[in-house]
Amino acid sequence: MSKKPLTPSELTELIAGLNRLARNLWWTWNQESQEIFQELSPRGWQNLYHNAVAILHEVSDYELRVHLQNPDFAERVQRVLANFDAYLSEKNTWGKANAAELLKNPVIYFTAEFGFHETLPIAAGGLGILAGDHAKSASDLGLGFVGISLFYREGYFQQSINQDNWQVDYYTQLQPKNLPIEPVLDKNGEPLICSVQMGISEVKFKAWRVNVGRCPAYLLDTNLPENEQHYRDLTLRVYGGDSTTRILQEILLGIGGVRLMRALGVEPSVFHMNEGHAAFLALELVREKLALGKSFSDALTFAKKQCMFTTHTPVEAGHDRFSASLMDYAFKGYLGHLKMSLDEVMALGRVDPKDKDEPFCMTVLALKAARSANGVSELHGQVSRHMWQCLWPGVPEDKIPIGHVTNGIHLLGWMKGPVRRFWRRRLGVNGTTPPATPGTVGASTDFWSKTSSWETAINDPAFWQKMEDPNFISDEEIWALRYKLRRELIEFARRRLLLQGRSLTQGDFIAFDHLLNPDALTIGFARRFATYKRAPLIFQQLESIVKLVNDKQRPVQFVFAGKAHPRDDDGKRYIQQVIHLSRYSDLKGHLVFIENYDIHVARTMVSGCDVWLNNPRRPLEASGTSGQKAGCHGCLNLSILDGWWREGYDGTNGFAIGDDSHPASIDEQDRLDSENLFSTLTGKVIPTFYDRDANGIPRKWIQMIRRAMVTLVPQFNTWRMVQEYTTKYYVPK
Ligand SMILES: *Cc1c(COP(=O)(O)O)cnc(C)c1O
C-alpha cells in the first residue's frame, strides 16, 4: 500500500511539532525521537553533539520539507509526536494516584546544578546529574514538580590536557538560541524580570524555562544590561569565582527562586533544598511572614513547615561556610527588609548561636529551617546523624532526625541506544505504547497486560526479574550485546584520542587499531577527580598491573576520564599521574584517559566497560551514582562498600573491595584498600571473566550480569527514589 505525501498544512504542522519536541528534553530519553533528529542530519548529530535544537537550525526549511515528503519518515515523525503528546497529556499517572495535591501545589526543587543532557552543560558532577534525573523521573511519574537552578552561560569548564599532562580549563559561551531553553515572559510578552538585594544593590534577573517532560525547570540569569558587570557575571560559571561569587549565587538561587515562583503565581507546598546551596530560600520565607507582621518564631515555624533538605556529602569542603564579614557585605540591603540583625541571621547558620567566631554554615541553616532532612544512602544517613548530632544536644545519635533516601538514576536517560532497542525488542514494542493486542510476544505479554507504558515497564522489578530466565534471554544474546557495547566504547575512545591528538605525536605513536583490545576485560573509572575518590589507587601496584595488561591469555585494560575542579591542584596531579602512565609506562595502549568527561562520555563508558571501578575513601562517597548506570548495560561493579554499593552488593551481583568496616587510619585504609582491590581483581574478577565454555561464553560472568539486573536495576533508579521522596517526605501520610 503506497502512502500519500503530506499536504502543505500537514507539513507545517509536523515542522512545528519537531520544533516543540526539540525544546522538550523528553526527546533525550525517547529512542525514536533521537533517531529522527539523527537522521535529519547524521553529520550534525555528531558535530553539534546531539543537539536537536541546533540541528533544526542547521537543516534548512527546504531540506526538512524534503525529508518529510518521504512518507515513511513522515509517518515516524507523526508517531513520535503522537507519543509525545500522549505523554504530556497522560492523566493516569502515579503522581495523580499518590500525590494529587502536588499537582495543584507542587514541590519546588532547588539545586545549584542540573545535569540534563550533554548539550546543556550546567552541572559539575554527580549532584547535578542526580538533580536532572530526579526531575526526569518526577515527570515520568506525573508529579507536581518544578526545578530551580541558575543559567550559567559558560557552564562548567571544558577540559583539555597540555604538554605537561596538566589539566587546562577553558570555557565556551552557551548560545540560548541553540539550547532547549526558552525565556520566561510576563503577560505582556516581555521577559519577566525579578530582583534580589545583594550587598547594597538591587540586582535584576530573568529566567529560562527548560521543559523536562511534563515538568518545568527554571534557570535564573542575572545577565541583564541594567546590572553592573560583576552582577551580570554572577551567572557565568558553575561554582566559578570566589566565596563572594558563591554567596551571591546562593542568594540568587534561594531568594531569587522563591521570588520567581511568587511572580509566576506558583503556590508551592514543599521547598526541597537539594544540598545546602539553596538554604537562603528559608530566609526569604521568613521575610515574607515578618512583612505580614508575624513574629520571628512564627515566621520560622511557618518556613519550617514547607522546607525539606537533602544533604549530599560528608566531605568538609562540601559544606559552604561564610564569615560574618562576608555575610554582612552580602546581606547589607536585605537585612533591612528582613528586620533582623546580622547576629540574628548568623545564629541561624551556627551550631552554637552564641559563638561569635563560628562562620555561617549553609548546611546548619538548612537543617534548622527544614521540617525533614535526609542523606543519600543508608550509611550516609548514619554518618550525617553523627556529623550533625551537635545540633541536637542530648539526643542520642540514632534518634537524630536525619533519615535517608538512597540515590538512583533515570534509567531511560542513561541507557545507551542499542540497549534501549534491545530491551524494547524483548518487550515486544516498537513505539512507546504497548501493542494493542498482546499475545504475540511470548514472555512479555503477561507483562504488558498489567503495565501501562514503556516507562512503567522498564522500571518494573517484574521485568528485570525475567533476566534470570535463559528462555527469556540467552547467555549468547547477552554476550553479543556486551561485545557490541565494548566495541562501541573502544571505537569512541580511539576517535577521541585521535582528536585529543597526543597519541600521534612525540614518538609515542600507537597504531590506531592497537589502542585497546575489543576482547580484553575492560575496566572503567570516570567521575570527578576529587582526591577522596582516589583515582590512581589501582596503579599503586604498578608492576603487577603491567603484568595483567600484558597477559596474552587474559588481558585487562583501563579507560579513565574525569575533571578536577579548577582550583583542585591535588586532583589535577591525579589526572597527570594517570595520563603519564597512559603515555610513558608499559601500560601504554592498555590505559587511556578520555578528556572532557561529560554525560555522553559517561554513558559510553558505563555501557562499554565490563567492570566499573569505584574506590573512594569510605565513608566519603555519600552515595555515588555512576555505578548504578552500569547495571542495565551488563557492566559489573567492583567497588568499596560505600554509599549505594553497600546496600546493593549481595555477593552474587558484582564485586566488593574489602568489607563493611573502617580501618584505624587513612594510611592504613589506603594500603588495605589497594591490597584488597588487587586481590579481588586477580582472585575473582579476572578468573570469572575468562572462565569460558567451549563456545567462548563466560557462563558464570553472565550469571552475575543477570543477578545485577535482577537485584540492582529496579532498585537503584530515580523511579523508585522519587516515589520514596514523595511518600516519605513530600506528602507523608
Ligand atoms: C554519573 C555521573 C557522575 C557521578 O559519578 P559518581 O561516580 O557518582 O561520582 C559525575 N559526572 C557525570 C558526568 C556523570 O554522568
Side-chain angles (χ1 to χ4, degrees):
M1 197 177 73
S2 75
K3 295 166 196 154
K4 277 208 300 267
L6 301 181
T7 65
S9 73
E10 283 172 326
L11 259 180
T12 308
E13 200 180 307
L14 280 196
I15 292 173
L18 280 176
N19 276 292
R20 241 174 0 101
L21 182 66
R23 285 170 182 78
N24 189 315
L25 294 173
W26 180 78
W27 77 262
T28 65
W29 69 91
N30 178 266
Q31 187 63 36
E32 279 199 303
S33 307
Q34 284 178 24
E35 286 164 6
I36 280 168
F37 290 120
Q38 186 168 8
E39 264 175 62
L40 275 175
S41 172
R43 188 174 287 236
W45 181 256
Q46 286 268 335
N47 295 348
L48 301 168
Y49 211 44
H50 323 130
N51 184 333
V53 175
I55 285 175
L56 288 181
H57 282 308
E58 204 207 45
V59 174
S60 71
D61 194 48
Y62 184 72
E63 190 180 351
L64 196 52
R65 282 168 193 276
V66 169
H67 271 291
L68 291 169
Q69 294 293 3
N70 171 349
D72 287 324
F73 188 71
E75 188 182 282
R76 281 169 49 213
V77 173
Q78 277 167 328
R79 189 167 63 229
V80 162
L81 292 175
N83 284 333
F84 178 44
D85 288 331
Y87 178 88
L88 292 181
S89 59
E90 173 69 60
K91 293 281 176 291
N92 191 13
T93 63
W94 183 90
K96 178 88 183 296
N98 294 277
E101 55 268 55
L102 297 180
L103 293 172
K104 186 152 165 282
N105 302 113
V107 174
I108 316 294
Y109 181 90
F110 287 67
T111 178
E113 36 174 317
F114 255 134
F116 290 122
H117 188 248
E118 53 266 32
T119 51
L120 191 55
I122 54 170
L127 178 70
I129 304 288
L130 177 83
D133 284 3
H134 192 126
K136 290 173 191 174
S137 283
S139 166
D140 287 346
L141 289 163
L143 218 59
F145 180 92
V146 177
I148 302 274
S149 190
L150 306 186
F151 178 66
Y152 305 96
R153 66 183 179 280
E154 292 189 347
Y156 196 52
F157 77 91
Q158 313 270 320
Q159 176 192 56
S160 70
I161 304 293
N162 72 11
Q163 291 298 316
D164 302 320
N165 298 333
W166 193 250
Q167 169 180 299
V168 179
D169 329 322
Y170 66 97
Y171 293 85
T172 46
Q173 286 264 337
L174 300 176
Q175 302 298 335
K177 92 170 172 42
N178 274 340
L179 294 174
I181 63 176
E182 48 201 46
V184 176
L185 305 176
D186 64 17
K187 47 184 185 307
N188 302 320
E190 298 295 323
L192 178 71
I193 306 289
C194 303
S195 68
V196 284
Q197 284 84 21
M198 294 186 185
I200 51 167
S201 311
E202 177 92 5
V203 177
K204 302 263 183 350
F205 67 88
K206 60 184 171 179
W208 303 91
R209 183 186 158 112
V210 186
N211 298 306
V212 189
R214 303 172 177 117
C215 301
Y218 296 99
L219 307 179
L220 316 186
D221 183 356
T222 53
N223 187 23
L224 288 166
E226 49 268 48
N227 288 332
E228 290 170 53
Q229 190 62 41
H230 62 280
Y231 289 128
R232 298 183 68 162
D233 288 348
L234 262 190
T235 48
L236 198 57
R237 297 173 177 180
V238 185
Y239 306 135
D242 54 14
S243 57
T244 309
T245 319
R246 179 67 74 92
I247 196 172
L248 297 182
Q249 282 185 339
E250 295 184 358
I251 287 176
L252 176 65
L253 176 67
I255 297 174
V258 174
R259 293 196 178 169
L260 179 73
M261 290 300 95
R262 303 302 187 219
L264 290 173
V266 178
E267 291 175 30
S269 58
V270 182
F271 293 88
H272 186 171
M273 309 174 208
N274 185 47
E275 195 48 299
H277 308 122
F280 288 142
L281 77 85
L283 292 185
E284 177 66 359
L285 298 180
V286 167
R287 185 198 63 77
E288 289 178 334
K289 287 295 160 201
L290 291 177
L292 295 175
K294 298 271 190 267
S295 71
F296 172 73
S297 87
D298 284 355
L300 187 61
T301 308
F302 190 82
K304 200 166 172 153
K305 278 201 180 118
Q306 302 174 74
C307 294
M308 55 160 297
F309 171 51
T310 303
T311 177
H312 284 268
T313 181
V315 177
E316 264 308 308
H319 299 266
D320 283 327
R321 287 190 168 81
F322 302 122
S323 68
S325 62
L326 184 56
M327 287 289 288
D328 185 34
Y329 161 78
F331 280 101
K332 220 160 202 107
Y334 188 79
L335 284 179
H337 298 273
L338 195 55
K339 302 194 186 102
M340 285 169 72
S341 68
L342 180 66
D343 256 355
E344 287 169 317
V345 172
M346 287 298 293
L348 288 172
R350 283 175 173 150
V351 175
D352 175 3
K354 292 190 217 52
D355 180 358
K356 299 279 189 263
D357 294 326
E358 196 182 317
F360 186 96
C361 175
M362 294 299 277
T363 308
V364 173
L365 171 63
L367 287 168
K368 286 187 180 181
R371 69 183 187 201
S372 63
N374 69 284
V376 290
S377 70
E378 186 188 50
L379 180 60
H380 179 234
Q382 278 172 30
V383 170
S384 302
R385 286 190 286 280
H386 178 73
M387 224 177 140
W388 299 107
Q389 194 178 12
C390 49
L391 281 173
W392 286 271
V395 177
E397 195 171 305
D398 60 341
K399 294 284 180 328
I400 300 295
I402 302 179
H404 79 273
V405 175
T406 304
N407 283 346
I409 54 143
H410 182 254
L411 202 48
L412 284 180
W414 282 105
M415 259 184 206
K416 190 92 182 141
V419 176
R420 245 186 261 171
R421 284 191 287 272
F422 187 81
W423 297 132
R424 268 221 325 230
R425 274 200 306 279
R426 288 289 114 190
L427 282 165
V429 252
N430 296 313
T432 33
T433 42
T437 43
T440 48
V441 281
S444 63
T445 33
D446 53 320
F447 195 74
W448 276 118
S449 60
K450 64 181 176 57
T451 54
S452 57
S453 72
W454 161 235
E455 280 86 17
T456 325
I458 203 71
N459 285 293
D460 191 327
F463 171 67
W464 294 100
Q465 193 65 48
K466 291 175 180 299
M467 297 310 145
E468 282 205 296
D469 177 3
N471 294 319
F472 182 64
I473 182 166
S474 68
D475 285 357
E476 285 74 9
E477 285 172 290
I478 293 179
W479 196 231
L481 179 70
R482 289 301 318 145
Y483 253 93
K484 187 181 174 73
L485 295 169
R486 194 187 310 117
R487 158 78 54 193
E488 275 193 18
L489 167 65
I490 288 173
E491 280 168 10
F492 174 78
R494 288 175 180 170
R495 251 191 339 269
R496 275 295 186 100
L497 261 82
L498 205 59
L499 289 173
Q500 290 169 203
R502 281 169 299 111
S503 56
L504 298 178
T505 57
Q506 294 186 349
D508 62 341
F509 177 86
I510 298 169
F512 197 54
D513 51 358
H514 284 133
L515 191 64
L516 302 177
N517 167 0
D519 294 320
L521 169 62
T522 306
I523 300 179
F525 181 104
R527 44 184 61 83
R528 287 184 304 119
F529 266 53
T531 43
Y532 77 85
K533 296 181 186 252
R534 299 186 296 188
L537 188 74
I538 193 164
F539 303 119
Q540 283 193 357
Q541 325 233 359
L542 187 58
E543 271 175 42
S544 317
I545 294 288
V546 166
K547 283 206 194 88
L548 295 182
V549 303
N550 287 310
D551 184 325
K552 289 279 176 290
Q553 260 67 56
R554 309 191 308 173
V556 174
Q557 60 193 2
F558 298 92
V559 181
F560 272 62
K563 295 174 175 179
H565 188 278
R567 282 190 300 275
D568 179 8
D569 280 351
D570 291 331
K572 290 182 190 176
R573 259 186 286 282
Y574 277 0
I575 291 178
Q576 187 178 40
Q577 236 172 303
V578 172
I579 298 180
H580 186 87
L581 289 172
S582 77
R583 297 178 66 189
Y584 299 111
S585 78
D586 291 331
L587 296 177
K588 194 163 88 181
H590 311 283
L591 161 64
V592 298
F593 182 88
I594 299 178
E595 288 173 16
N596 216 17
Y597 181 53
D598 69 358
I599 290 176
H600 178 55
V601 176
R603 185 184 293 107
T604 310
M605 285 182 66
V606 290
S607 58
C609 290
D610 297 291
V611 169
W612 197 249
L613 175 63
N614 180 41
N615 43 238
R617 197 172 279 137
R618 188 183 130 125
L620 298 183
E621 191 64 87
S623 165
T625 54
S626 62
Q628 302 174 345
K629 303 165 191 165
C632 65
H633 299 101
C635 167
L636 295 175
N637 280 276
L638 165 60
S639 171
I640 298 276
L641 289 172
D642 198 6
W644 80 280
W645 188 236
R646 184 174 162 274
E647 291 156 55
Y649 176 68
D650 74 355
T652 68
N653 56 4
F655 305 94
I657 304 168
D659 54 23
D660 191 15
S661 65
H662 299 297
S665 72
I666 285 185
D667 287 343
E668 173 77 355
Q669 186 172 15
D670 289 356
R671 190 184 58 74
L672 269 180
D673 287 347
S674 157
E675 276 173 24
N676 286 330
L677 166 53
F678 190 76
S679 65
T680 309
L681 182 62
T682 50
K684 294 192 179 136
V685 180
I686 298 175
T688 315
F689 185 83
Y690 284 109
D691 178 4
R692 305 294 168 90
D693 73 0
N695 297 321
I697 308 266
R699 303 282 167 190
K700 292 205 189 82
W701 187 266
I702 293 173
Q703 181 53 26
M704 291 180 93
I705 291 179
R706 291 181 189 277
R707 288 290 304 154
M709 285 175 178
V710 171
T711 58
L712 305 174
V713 181
Q715 181 63 21
F716 299 97
N717 61 57
T718 42
W719 180 267
R720 183 272 312 155
M721 182 191 86
V722 173
Q723 289 186 7
E724 205 175 320
Y725 271 108
T726 305
T727 51
K728 252 169 127 168
Y729 293 118
Y730 295 160
V731 287
K733 295 286 188 271

